Amino acid sequence: MNQPTTKENADMSAQLDKAQKSIDRLFATRNDRWYPQCHIASKAGWINDPNGLSYYKGRYHAYFQLNPYGSEWGNMHWGHVSSADLVTWRREPLAMAPTLEVEKDGVFSGSAVVGDDGRLTIYYTGHRWRNGVNEDEGNLQEQCMAVSSDGIHFEKKGVVIPCPDDKILHFRDPKVWKMGGLWYMVFGVSTPAHRGEIWMYTSNDMEHWTFDRVVYRHPDPEVFMLECPDMFPLEDKWVICYSAMGLKPHGFEARNHNNAGYVIGSWQPGGDFQQETEFHLWDDGHNFYAPQTFQAPDGRRLVFGWMSPFTEPIPMQEDGWCGQFTVPREVTLAGDHLRCLPVREFSDLDQDRQDFGSIELEVNGSQDLVDDAQTADIAMEIDLAKSQAERIGLEIHRTQSGDHTLVCYDDQLGRVVLDRHCNTYGDRGYRTAPVDKSSGKLKLRIIVDRGSIEVVINDGLEIMSSYSFPAEGPRGIRLIAESGEGKALIDSLSIARLGTIWEEPDR
Ligand code: FRU
């Protein structure tokens, strides 16, 4: 690995110091009205993709794409938090700043593995603009490597896979694993013909990599890039997931600016991936992108997504920060789908759970449940078979102005709806998720934070993640039934407050 792959433009610790000072400056005036209590976010600045998710030396490590210099995308660094138990998180020093010539315009996304020498080894993309200023003439991207003995301080090793063709405009986001004595890497490529592909490389020694195959090519010619691909085994299957650029909305599907999903199939080392299912979205909400999975020490497959605020207005940007992760979720196989459930540890944040028992609401009836919930973990079961109301659900983040986000079952659609049309702040619009009604019951778990809502449907068969920025004043939760021939029957309903995930309070 020689020049210019390791040519240094700057000293990393000086760059990290400078970036940390900027975070501290932004933090001094951070407005906390929507800043999360129980989701990972940077102390200040912009974040996007989860990076380098791993378990190393007794702690979980979550790194993330970070702009320490403002609350918009740019100047990509890696921020870092860690946890012993997936519940309580510690802010760690910033991990990576651009210092090499090949990453002059950003240290982009990547993954982490514990290397053969026991060091935490990260693979990431060194990014440069071809024209030196913006994406108009494309990107010059190369896969790079860095190592660490503590997960905190990294030593860069430079480029391990250069971009083989200057007509390739996107070439990034390596995800690495080891199997049968061999290292595998997949990353996203936009080919000279603008097709979205995932390329696979292999290595014996973690430094020298050989092209193996195009392991996945998106069938839609409009999909020009597959960002943040991931490939992992689940029971006897393999899952390939990616964040597709160029996918067009159709019906209820793929309504976000960019959309993350997966296909399930079979794969053997040295062979092609055999796709066996349709493409499914990971999440049906407004804000979910660039998920990354990793394996917990007990074997569970876990995933964090980035709650992507793609559509303007993005009001948290005025508050000195922007972007949060979803809660950590466990991924399991459910037929031709993935089931995603908040990890069981998340329930350790529960406080003062209030049990409302079973509730019967008259047509167009309502019941105020909580006057002011900054955070909540709501569990409810609706008897669909016996209810006749047309919509049954909860107005969340309900303020005196009448602002709220509605999460309900809609009997006309036969789907769960998350509707933000009564929001003053942020993008509005609704998203829906399909519901299996065969049991006659609908089980919802709703995790509410100061600026977000996650809806877990029927134990994670579907899940929706959306920002919801409440207006001023107390934030109530109200149960509602709307229209229809008769009552709404709620078998059970309980609401807990959620404690903070941070080991040390920010202030
Ligand atoms: C996805 C992405 C990645 C890239 C990173 C840059 O959100 O565009 O493809 O590595 O963000 O911040």
Side-chain angles (χ1 to χ4, degrees):
M1 284 174 275
N2 38 36
Q3 300 282 345
T5 58
T6 50
K7 178 170 172 281
E8 283 198 28
N9 295 336
D11 166 61
M12 182 126 101
S13 73
Q15 291 306 307
L16 291 176
D17 267 6
K18 191 169 137 214
Q20 186 59 54
K21 289 205 173 79
S22 173
I23 292 277
D24 293 341
R25 259 194 314 275
L26 286 169
F27 169 67
T29 56
R30 188 181 82 191
N31 183 335
D32 286 350
R33 56 189 164 164
W34 302 312
Y35 189 82
Q37 287 288 283
C38 48
H39 291 82
I40 291 172
S42 175
K43 194 169 164 189
W46 160 283
I47 73 166
N48 50 290
D49 320 349
N51 289 164
L53 301 179
S54 48
Y55 185 80
Y56 184 57
K57 297 199 169 164
R59 294 186 75 78
Y60 293 91
H61 295 271
Y63 306 84
F64 45 85
Q65 288 284 281
L66 167 71
N67 180 4
Y69 295 106
S71 49
E72 310 81 35
W73 183 89
N75 310 302
M76 294 330 292
H77 288 56
W78 279 31
H80 181 199
V81 295
S82 79
S83 169
D85 57 9
L86 283 176
V87 184
T88 303
W89 293 83
R90 178 192 294 167
R91 296 197 192 281
E92 299 285 6
L94 305 188
M96 294 276 286
T99 56
L100 305 181
E101 176 60 21
V102 293
E103 50 183 38
K104 182 162 69 68
D105 297 313
V107 286
F108 272 17
S109 285
S111 58
V113 286
V114 180
D116 292 328
D117 61 2
R119 289 190 291 182
L120 189 72
T121 304
I122 61 172
Y123 295 93
Y124 64 98
T125 301
H127 164 76
R128 277 175 287 175
W129 307 118
R130 275 188 195 274
N131 63 8
V133 282
N134 59 32
E135 204 176 19
D136 288 356
E137 280 144 56
N139 310 304
L140 183 50
Q141 301 183 327
E142 331 222 38
Q143 312 324 334
C144 301
M145 174 181 175
V147 291
S148 170
S149 305
D150 55 9
I152 293 174
H153 304 93
F154 286 87
E155 181 197 333
K156 292 180 181 170
K157 295 286 192 186
V159 173
V160 290
I161 304 181
C163 186
D165 183 335
D166 60 7
K167 292 195 196 60
I168 288 179
L169 302 183
H170 304 270
F171 188 77
R172 61 174 176 269
D173 307 338
K175 181 79 197 307
V176 174
W177 72 95
K178 190 177 192 184
M179 200 180 159
L182 201 59
W183 290 95
Y184 293 84
M185 181 192 292
V186 289
F187 54 84
V189 179
S190 183
T191 68
H194 305 289
R195 296 296 297 256
E197 292 186 346
I198 301 173
W199 290 13
M200 177 179 272
Y201 280 63
T202 59
S203 171
N204 285 309
D205 62 3
M206 306 189 78
E207 287 192 16
H208 300 90
W209 292 85
T210 314
F211 176 77
D212 181 72
R213 71 193 60 233
V214 175
V215 74
Y216 184 81
R217 175 185 227 214
H218 202 281
D220 180 348
E222 301 216 58
V223 172
F224 60 91
M225 173 62 184
L226 303 177
E227 297 188 292
C228 301
D230 198 346
M231 182 163 168
F232 56 90
L234 212 50
E235 296 175 26
D236 58 340
K237 297 291 174 198
W238 277 81
V239 180
I240 286 189
C241 67
Y242 51 81
S243 293
M245 300 175 90
L247 195 63
K248 295 281 178 302
H250 46 281
F252 294 118
E253 295 281 305
R255 306 239 33 120
N256 298 335
H257 175 66
N258 287 324
N259 298 277
Y262 60 83
V263 293
I264 305 171
S266 303
W267 177 73
Q268 297 281 345
D272 288 331
F273 175 75
Q274 309 293 338
Q275 184 176 334
E276 293 163 8
T277 70
E278 304 270 283
F279 173 80
H280 297 296
L281 292 178
W282 271 103
D283 187 291
D284 294 301
H286 294 82
N287 306 106
F288 185 92
Y289 198 64
Q292 186 176 88
T293 75
F294 71 110
Q295 199 172 25
D298 60 8
R300 283 178 296 170
R301 177 63 49 174
L302 307 184
V303 66
F304 277 103
W306 163 47
M307 290 192 63
S308 47
F310 281 131
T311 313
E312 297 195 338
I314 310 173
M316 60 195 148
Q317 283 182 317
E318 287 161 27
D319 294 353
W321 70 283
C322 186
Q324 67 184 45
F325 285 1
T326 61
V327 303
R329 298 170 181 171
E330 181 179 356
V331 186
T332 51
L333 210 53
D336 65 353
H337 273 73
L338 297 182
R339 182 193 291 276
C340 292
L341 257 190
V343 294
R344 57 174 180 271
E345 291 89 335
F346 192 78
S347 302
D348 293 356
L349 295 170
D350 262 33
Q351 293 175 355
D352 313 323
R353 184 166 286 275
Q354 213 186 331
D355 192 349
F356 295 87
S358 62
I359 304 179
E360 211 177 282
L361 275 191
E362 299 299 329
V363 186
N364 297 315
S366 67
Q367 180 176 331
D368 286 317
L369 301 171
V370 176
D371 295 333
D372 190 11
Q374 300 262 324
T375 60
D377 194 341
I378 307 168
M380 102 190 245
E381 191 168 285
I382 304 174
D383 190 329
L384 293 182
K386 296 211 187 101
S387 296
Q388 288 151 319
E390 200 169 272
R391 288 179 131 187
I392 305 168
L394 297 169
E395 293 177 357
I396 295 168
H397 285 158
R398 184 171 218 296
T399 56
Q400 273 175 347
S401 56
D403 281 38
H404 64 264
T405 295
L406 176 65
V407 175
C408 69
Y409 174 72
D410 182 316
D411 194 43
Q412 286 198 49
L413 296 173
R415 297 170 77 92
V416 170
V417 174
L418 186 154
D419 188 348
R420 305 190 296 196
H421 89 273
C422 285
N423 286 7
T424 299
Y425 294 98
D427 177 41
R428 295 182 180 158
Y430 69 96
R431 293 287 180 271
T432 75
V435 170
D436 173 4
K437 284 169 285 217
S438 54
S439 69
K441 307 274 184 183
L442 170 64
K443 206 168 157 190
L444 295 178
R445 176 174 178 193
I446 306 173
I447 296 170
V448 181
D449 206 337
R450 285 181 180 156
S452 67
I453 296 177
E454 282 155 287
V455 185
V456 184
I457 301 165
N458 285 336
D459 294 314
L461 281 181
E462 304 291 337
I463 193 159
M464 309 174 83
S465 308
S466 294
Y467 286 112
S468 162
F469 302 114
E472 291 70 24
R475 301 156 178 195
I477 300 177
R478 173 181 286 182
L479 178 69
I480 62 110
E482 210 177 87
S483 194
E485 293 295 314
K487 296 177 195 279
L489 294 155
I490 316 299
D491 287 342
S492 61
L493 202 163
S494 72
I495 304 182
R497 282 190 301 120
L498 289 164
T500 175
I501 58 167
W502 298 113
E503 190 173 287
E504 298 274 340
D506 281 344
R507 298 182 212 276

